[in-house]
Amino acid sequence: MTHDAQDSPVETTGPTGGTDTAPEMSWFAWGDPERATELDPGTRDLITQVLRTRTEDMPPVAEEDVVLPETRLDERLREAFAEVVGAEHVRADAPTRLRRSGGKSTPDLLARRSGHADLAPDAVLFPADHDQVERLLALCSAERVAVVPFGGGTSVVGGLSPIRGDFRVVVSLDLRRLDRLVSLDTTSLTAVLGAGVRTPHAEAMLAEHGLTLGHMPQSYEFATIGGYAATRSSGQTSSGYGRFEDMVVGLRVATPRGTLEAGGPPASAAGPDLRRLMVGSEGTLGVITEVAVRVRPRPERVLDEAWSFPDHTTGVAALRTLAQSDVRPTMARLSDETETFVNAALAGREATPGCQAVLGFEGNASDVEARAAAVREVMVAAGGTPLGPDPVAHWRENRFTAPYLRDTLLAAGILAETLETAATWSDLETLYRAVVDALTGALDDDVSGVVVLCHVSHTYPTGASLYFTVATGAGEDPSARWAGAKRAASDAIIANGGTITHHHAVGTDHRPWMTDELGPLGAEVLRAVKSALDPEGVLNPGKLIPDA
Amino acid sequence: MTHDAQDSPVETTGPTGGTDTAPEMSWFAWGDPERATELDPGTRDLITQVLRTRTEDMPPVAEEDVVLPETRLDERLREAFAEVVGAEHVRADAPTRLRRSGGKSTPDLLARRSGHADLAPDAVLFPADHDQVERLLALCSAERVAVVPFGGGTSVVGGLSPIRGDFRVVVSLDLRRLDRLVSLDTTSLTAVLGAGVRTPHAEAMLAEHGLTLGHMPQSYEFATIGGYAATRSSGQTSSGYGRFEDMVVGLRVATPRGTLEAGGPPASAAGPDLRRLMVGSEGTLGVITEVAVRVRPRPERVLDEAWSFPDHTTGVAALRTLAQSDVRPTMARLSDETETFVNAALAGREATPGCQAVLGFEGNASDVEARAAAVREVMVAAGGTPLGPDPVAHWRENRFTAPYLRDTLLAAGILAETLETAATWSDLETLYRAVVDALTGALDDDVSGVVVLCHVSHTYPTGASLYFTVATGAGEDPSARWAGAKRAASDAIIANGGTITHHHAVGTDHRPWMTDELGPLGAEVLRAVKSALDPEGVLNPGKLIPDA
């Protein structure tokens, strides 16, 4: 039985379900332009000294100086689109196109800051609902127009680049109008959310019913529900709430061949789980328009505790013991020695030696106390020293701000970028060393030194993720400089048992490693599914699925 | 990164890893022939009285009287197979073919008991390893020979029927020789098991290392690791250990197009999860040869408690509250009023009024105590009365024996069969009533009355499973009688928000409802994947995937 959200025996919140008041993101940087900061001279001096480099300011060009290719949207096509979504929802003005011309990776930003938006879409379409999306896809398939679905615009892997492929025209399909809490089932604790709902808006609508989704990735403030499903997102509280794919109860997907609905019942043995085929499909197989998610009562209590470990190996072993035990925190993160030192410096406190972990517990009061007590025993036995809640408070305050800092550094001529992977506990230490070595080998040169930070941010019974942050001088050609380092790190990941991405997704940037990741036959399976659902190949060309 | 078990930094148990001493199952009934029982006259009288029916013994024909179609395995083909697996592992004798001519559903058994084995495979092949399976599949694809993978032989949905389809020859591919613990990673707590390993053998090999898989379906004694993966199995302790698909870390799959390996790292955002596409594929997309599973320390402590509820609605609400709470039992089951009464009668004790639930807790001692105490509070608040551990002990003793009882009844002219589904908590009560009504409507007639029992056997935060047991007089044509009831129940399931199967899988029996379940486009996706991996369509024809 496919899940038809409209037919559920549920209460609904009415046609709009609240208003999303989040600001539009900057065209050349992460997030709210109002929250951008400048680097203070003291910090800048310190960084350039540590990196043994000279830096020069790299301010963005003025918006009006950005060169957009001329739109190829002709009048006939504009009218055809307008017939579906209304004339006011077909936009081809420069600011609208510029803001859909890519995502938020450093290479994306470097291009736009320097005035290049070669890949800007010819137009941006704003459908109102699933049916309009489906009609647009049929139209684009018939007219051979490439379609790039656009949610919160937060991709850091090139997932939003409007690659034209073999097509004359490419459009961005902005899903922001699909912003409703479609239905809520307070008995089964499921909610159907429009794909374009941003997380704070989702949480506000759910909070009216005492509920939460509990998905808190760094992109939380801007990313959308549909985007999370399309990219297999994972949030900071994944130990407690699970990855986003674990929260997905059902999906409604528009494709050029019609609608695919998957899921509904809590579990099934009726063949392969097609939800898991659409989750992570990054707009290449269809456009996710509605997501039925598991929701939970809002936690009564949040309890934090930081821990110190003498070294990385001991800290990783402690997190492993926890992840394999019956009691689990809601959040568990462990910084390596370098990141522990840098975090302390950024927070203006003295660094404890070794590695620092932050743990968080959410739930009802008695359960949180009980779990925290049980975890405390495990952590002490594993060699940890409790540091109290304060270091976690600082982390919580800044949990969504790292991308702003990245852009502040970039403006000052310092390249700061991240990459991530995951592996089994057995492979983790080797993988960690290999990636640090690859990044250091690629970036420690005459131009600049490099600082590589790493933390374990998601733990599982069988393994964990590794999240690396790299800072180095931008040099003459920062895009090429980063591309070389990224290639070296990705090769090291694949060679050492890691996945090419744990939660950033594939987009264009990880696509060259996808055949290694899936094997040639796995890649072929994805191509076969694509041919079935998108026979003309108009959906998000050049992303995720490797060529044969 | 695909998971190559051979390359893992692990300890291995050597080439064999122990010996599987389980007996071969009866050719006309479930399980070990030594454990078959007869119905005592008193019980028989009671049942016939309750069912208002006359019964006649339905003994099976003698094995030598079963009519097998002549084998179409010619000498050339036999030699080609023998070249891959060795001559002694290509078998076309009657006993071997008969025992691979179907599964263990009541219709399957009725056919064989009456001497019909029209679908017997032309030969049975016993490959030794993954490479032999892959070579056999390439050979069968080239020679257009249909292949039916065979694990423990426990399918109750027609998943093993050697349907010839458009092919001249059909072979059964018995995976029993893939019976090794291939590797064990005690750091990551993962084990790679051969697809043909039966569960007790798997548990024995893991127990040597203090580990357990924790998968306990009713078919536990005979079913195989590969079969669990192929059918999206779920065990009795799924609340604690998860469904089998949740335990699958990685898969190795042989297809006519080569090998597909999926999984390895604990989590990934590298496109859709292809493990979930192979899990539940029932031998139609490939033959699973190795499964990497999550394993855990063997529980220190097992604690049971039975509960009584005044009625089904109250009991279901209590299980829902538990499933949505932070504390969970390892096992939770709730019988409806009729099943509660019948279970008490079978156990020789007086039935408590209302509904009975059995809960089980496994883990380390302190955790079990803590969870049981927390659960006790929830259950009392939800209207439950504790009954102590004894009723659970009786259930544990008989947890794998229901199929023997089914066969005992069948031999006495009483049709006893099961079917199952799952739905959200919101849909559960309506679905329950609809299926009971459908079964009663189809079977309560001049031939016989009917008794319908039901229990909730698997709970999830968003819903639960329903497992129905039906007993009725066999009548003149028991196969047709059951087919009508099954059709009515399946229609009721699809019409009321249920999945056509929660853990029995699809096979032939649920295939007519698969387009309803997946939608036409979902069904087309499966056909596209099949075309990519099995272009000649030789893999398990007539199962799972609906025709276009």
Side-chain angles (χ1 to χ4, degrees):
Chain A
M1 178 72 179
T2 56
H3 180 92
D4 185 347
Q6 314 289 2
D7 291 347
S8 296
V10 295
E11 58 182 282
T12 53
T13 56
T16 64
T19 307
D20 181 357
T21 56
E24 178 124 46
M25 277 211 276
S26 162
W27 65 268
F28 64 85
W30 181 264
D32 181 358
E34 305 272 306
R35 285 163 66 192
T37 55
E38 293 207 354
L39 196 59
D40 73 87
T43 310
R44 181 176 187 145
D45 284 351
L46 183 67
I47 292 174
T48 52
Q49 206 177 323
V50 168
L51 292 178
R52 300 177 283 100
T53 190
R54 290 174 53 86
T55 61
E56 282 182 49
D57 279 351
M58 302 198 302
V61 303
E63 184 173 350
E64 55 272 27
D65 293 337
V66 178
V67 181
L68 292 182
E70 201 170 334
T71 178
R72 300 191 191 180
L73 182 74
D74 61 33
E75 213 38 50
R76 191 184 59 83
L77 208 49
R78 177 192 286 272
E79 276 169 23
F81 288 140
E83 207 164 295
V84 179
V85 296
E88 71 277 30
H89 297 120
V90 182
R91 303 265 296 268
D93 57 281
T96 303
R97 291 172 63 209
L98 174 60
R99 281 165 181 74
R100 312 294 178 302
S101 64
K104 299 294 182 185
S105 69
T106 296
D108 278 354
L109 300 186
L110 283 168
R112 295 209 288 284
R113 293 175 74 94
S114 65
H116 296 287
D118 316 348
L119 290 177
D122 295 304
V124 183
L125 312 180
F126 296 87
D129 56 29
H130 175 89
D131 290 344
Q132 289 190 3
V133 173
E134 191 170 308
R135 288 169 62 198
L136 287 175
L137 295 185
L139 183 58
C140 288
S141 194
E143 295 282 351
R144 295 185 51 78
V145 172
V147 183
V148 182
F150 192 96
T154 63
S155 173
V156 291
V157 293
L160 300 169
S161 298
I163 295 171
R164 202 175 291 280
D166 300 330
F167 305 98
R168 192 175 56 87
V169 178
V170 56
V171 296
S172 172
L173 192 71
D174 190 312
L175 299 163
R176 64 178 52 202
R177 293 173 69 208
L178 282 70
D179 67 346
R180 287 175 53 212
L181 174 58
V182 178
S183 64
L184 181 68
D185 178 343
T186 54
T187 302
S188 309
L189 290 183
T190 60
V192 178
L193 289 159
V197 178
R198 293 205 256 191
T199 350
H201 185 205
E203 288 292 351
M205 293 190 287
L206 292 171
E208 288 176 25
H209 305 272
L211 298 169
T212 184
L213 178 59
H215 189 66
M216 308 286 276
Q218 195 173 62
S219 58
Y220 174 88
E221 298 171 293
F222 298 96
T224 60
I225 298 299
Y228 292 143
T231 60
R232 292 180 79 183
S233 173
S234 192
Q236 292 160 349
T237 48
S238 67
S239 291
Y241 293 92
R243 291 169 64 82
F244 195 77
E245 64 205 73
D246 302 321
M247 303 175 185
V248 173
V249 174
L251 288 169
R252 197 171 187 204
V253 185
T255 83
R257 299 282 318 283
T259 293
L260 191 149
E261 290 184 286
S268 173
D273 188 348
L274 296 184
R275 286 176 307 187
R276 299 282 184 145
L277 192 59
M278 303 314 295
V279 168
S281 61
E282 300 189 20
T284 64
L285 304 179
V287 176
I288 294 165
T289 60
E290 286 174 9
V291 187
V293 288
R294 174 184 175 193
V295 293
R296 312 187 199 214
R298 293 181 72 76
E300 284 174 12
R301 178 84 201 278
V302 177
L303 186 154
D304 292 329
E305 190 143 50
W307 289 82
S308 177
F309 292 93
D311 53 55
H312 191 243
T313 307
T314 309
V316 168
L319 258 63
R320 173 168 67 81
T321 305
L322 259 194
Q324 293 176 343
S325 78
D326 292 317
V327 284
R328 301 274 295 273
T330 308
M331 171 189 79
R333 303 163 70 85
L334 172 78
S335 295
D336 69 357
E337 287 88 345
T338 316
E339 188 172 284
T340 298
F341 181 86
V342 170
N343 280 350
L346 288 173
R349 51 184 162 71
E350 206 176 320
T352 48
C355 289
Q356 192 169 304
V358 295
L359 301 187
F361 300 84
E362 300 182 11
N364 70 45
S366 65
D367 175 58
V368 161
E369 292 292 347
R371 280 194 293 147
V375 165
R376 217 166 284 141
E377 267 185 54
V378 174
M379 294 298 262
V380 168
T385 306
L387 301 176
D390 290 352
V392 194
H394 182 264
W395 175 82
R396 279 195 187 273
E397 277 163 33
N398 295 281
R399 65 198 295 192
F400 305 134
T401 62
Y404 290 104
L405 177 59
R406 183 235 355 215
D407 295 339
T408 300
L409 292 169
L410 193 60
I414 299 153
L415 201 59
E417 187 55 306
T418 64
L419 55 87
E420 37 80 67
T421 180
T424 60
W425 293 110
S426 290
D427 287 339
L428 207 65
E429 193 77 14
T430 319
L431 176 61
Y432 166 64
R433 297 286 162 207
V435 175
V436 170
D437 288 351
L439 289 167
T440 308
L443 293 170
D444 192 358
D445 58 15
D446 293 346
V447 173
S448 169
V450 60
V451 174
V452 180
L453 322 177
C454 182
H455 58 255
V456 170
S457 53
H458 303 261
T459 64
Y460 306 89
T462 63
S465 70
L466 293 173
Y467 193 91
F468 296 90
T469 303
V470 188
T472 189
E476 298 271 309
D477 184 348
S479 286
R481 186 166 169 78
W482 176 247
K486 174 77 179 175
R487 199 159 47 238
S490 297
D491 288 343
I493 285 170
I494 290 294
N496 287 278
T499 173
I500 194 62
T501 173
H502 167 269
H503 63 269
H504 279 175
V506 179
T508 53
D509 296 5
H510 294 136
R511 190 166 173 257
W513 289 270
M514 278 300 281
T515 301
D516 290 322
E517 175 93 23
L518 304 176
L521 203 52
E524 209 171 306
V525 166
L526 289 188
R527 288 191 290 269
V529 175
K530 184 167 177 76
S531 292
L533 296 175
D534 176 26
E536 299 297 325
V538 296
L539 283 170
N540 220 4
K543 316 293 160 52
L544 176 63
I545 304 175
D547 290 331
Chain B
M1 180 71 180
T2 55
H3 181 92
D4 185 345
Q6 314 290 1
D7 291 347
S8 296
V10 296
E11 59 183 280
T12 52
T13 55
T16 65
T19 308
D20 182 356
T21 56
E24 179 125 44
M25 279 211 275
S26 162
W27 66 269
F28 64 85
W30 181 264
D32 181 358
E34 305 272 309
R35 286 163 63 192
T37 55
E38 293 208 352
L39 196 58
D40 72 89
T43 309
R44 182 177 187 143
D45 285 350
L46 183 68
I47 292 175
T48 52
Q49 205 177 319
V50 168
L51 292 178
R52 301 177 282 100
T53 190
R54 289 175 53 84
T55 61
E56 282 181 49
D57 279 351
M58 303 195 303
V61 302
E63 183 172 351
E64 54 273 28
D65 293 337
V66 178
V67 181
L68 292 182
E70 201 169 337
T71 178
R72 301 192 190 178
L73 182 75
D74 59 32
E75 214 38 50
R76 191 184 58 85
L77 208 49
R78 178 193 286 270
E79 276 169 23
F81 288 141
E83 205 163 298
V84 179
V85 296
E88 71 276 30
H89 297 121
V90 181
R91 303 265 297 267
D93 58 280
T96 303
R97 290 174 62 210
L98 174 60
R99 280 164 181 75
R100 312 293 178 300
S101 65
K104 298 295 181 184
S105 69
T106 295
D108 277 354
L109 299 187
L110 284 168
R112 295 208 289 282
R113 293 176 75 94
S114 65
H116 297 287
D118 317 347
L119 291 177
D122 295 304
V124 183
L125 312 179
F126 297 86
D129 56 28
H130 175 90
D131 290 343
Q132 289 190 2
V133 173
E134 191 169 309
R135 288 169 63 196
L136 287 176
L137 295 185
L139 183 58
C140 289
S141 194
E143 296 282 350
R144 294 184 51 77
V145 172
V147 182
V148 182
F150 192 96
T154 63
S155 174
V156 291
V157 293
L160 300 170
S161 297
I163 295 172
R164 200 174 293 278
D166 300 331
F167 304 98
R168 192 175 55 86
V169 178
V170 55
V171 296
S172 173
L173 192 71
D174 190 311
L175 299 164
R176 63 179 52 203
R177 292 175 70 207
L178 282 71
D179 66 346
R180 287 175 54 213
L181 173 58
V182 178
S183 64
L184 180 68
D185 178 344
T186 53
T187 302
S188 309
L189 289 183
T190 60
V192 178
L193 288 160
V197 179
R198 294 206 257 190
T199 352
H201 185 204
E203 289 291 353
M205 292 190 287
L206 292 171
E208 288 177 25
H209 305 273
L211 298 169
T212 182
L213 177 59
H215 189 65
M216 307 286 276
Q218 196 172 62
S219 57
Y220 174 89
E221 297 170 294
F222 299 95
T224 58
I225 297 299
Y228 292 144
T231 60
R232 291 179 80 182
S233 173
S234 191
Q236 292 160 350
T237 48
S238 68
S239 289
Y241 293 91
R243 291 168 65 81
F244 194 77
E245 64 205 71
D246 303 322
M247 303 175 186
V248 173
V249 174
L251 288 169
R252 196 169 188 203
V253 185
T255 82
R257 300 283 317 286
T259 293
L260 191 149
E261 289 183 287
S268 173
D273 188 348
L274 296 184
R275 285 176 307 186
R276 299 284 183 143
L277 191 61
M278 302 315 294
V279 168
S281 60
E282 299 188 23
T284 65
L285 305 179
V287 177
I288 296 165
T289 59
E290 286 175 9
V291 187
V293 289
R294 174 186 174 191
V295 293
R296 311 184 200 218
R298 293 182 71 77
E300 284 174 14
R301 178 85 200 278
V302 177
L303 186 154
D304 292 329
E305 190 142 49
W307 290 81
S308 177
F309 292 93
D311 53 54
H312 192 242
T313 308
T314 309
V316 168
L319 258 62
R320 173 169 67 82
T321 304
L322 259 194
Q324 294 176 342
S325 78
D326 293 315
V327 284
R328 302 273 294 272
T330 309
M331 171 191 77
R333 302 163 70 87
L334 173 78
S335 296
D336 69 359
E337 287 88 346
T338 317
E339 187 171 284
T340 298
F341 181 86
V342 169
N343 280 350
L346 288 173
R349 53 183 160 73
E350 208 177 318
T352 47
C355 288
Q356 191 170 302
V358 293
L359 302 187
F361 300 85
E362 299 182 11
N364 70 46
S366 66
D367 176 57
V368 161
E369 291 293 347
R371 281 194 292 146
V375 164
R376 218 167 282 142
E377 268 186 52
V378 174
M379 294 298 262
V380 168
T385 307
L387 301 176
D390 290 352
V392 193
H394 182 264
W395 175 82
R396 280 194 187 272
E397 276 163 33
N398 295 280
R399 64 197 298 192
F400 305 134
T401 62
Y404 290 104
L405 177 59
R406 185 244 341 226
D407 296 339
T408 301
L409 291 169
L410 193 61
I414 299 152
L415 200 61
E417 187 54 308
T418 64
L419 55 86
E420 37 79 67
T421 178
T424 61
W425 293 109
S426 289
D427 287 339
L428 206 66
E429 194 77 14
T430 320
L431 176 62
Y432 166 64
R433 298 286 163 206
V435 175
V436 171
D437 288 351
L439 290 167
T440 308
L443 293 170
D444 191 358
D445 58 16
D446 294 347
V447 174
S448 169
V450 60
V451 174
V452 180
L453 322 176
C454 182
H455 59 255
V456 170
S457 53
H458 303 262
T459 64
Y460 305 90
T462 64
S465 70
L466 293 174
Y467 193 90
F468 297 90
T469 303
V470 188
T472 189
E476 299 271 309
D477 185 349
S479 286
R481 187 166 169 78
W482 176 247
K486 174 77 180 175
R487 200 159 45 238
S490 297
D491 288 343
I493 285 170
I494 291 294
N496 287 279
T499 173
I500 194 63
T501 172
H502 168 268
H503 63 270
H504 279 174
V506 179
T508 52
D509 297 6
H510 293 135
R511 189 166 172 257
W513 288 271
M514 278 299 281
T515 301
D516 289 323
E517 175 92 23
L518 302 177
L521 203 51
E524 209 170 306
V525 166
L526 289 189
R527 286 191 291 270
V529 175
K530 184 169 176 74
S531 292
L533 295 175
D534 176 26
E536 299 297 325
V538 296
L539 282 170
N540 221 3
K543 316 294 159 51
L544 177 64
I545 304 175
D547 290 331

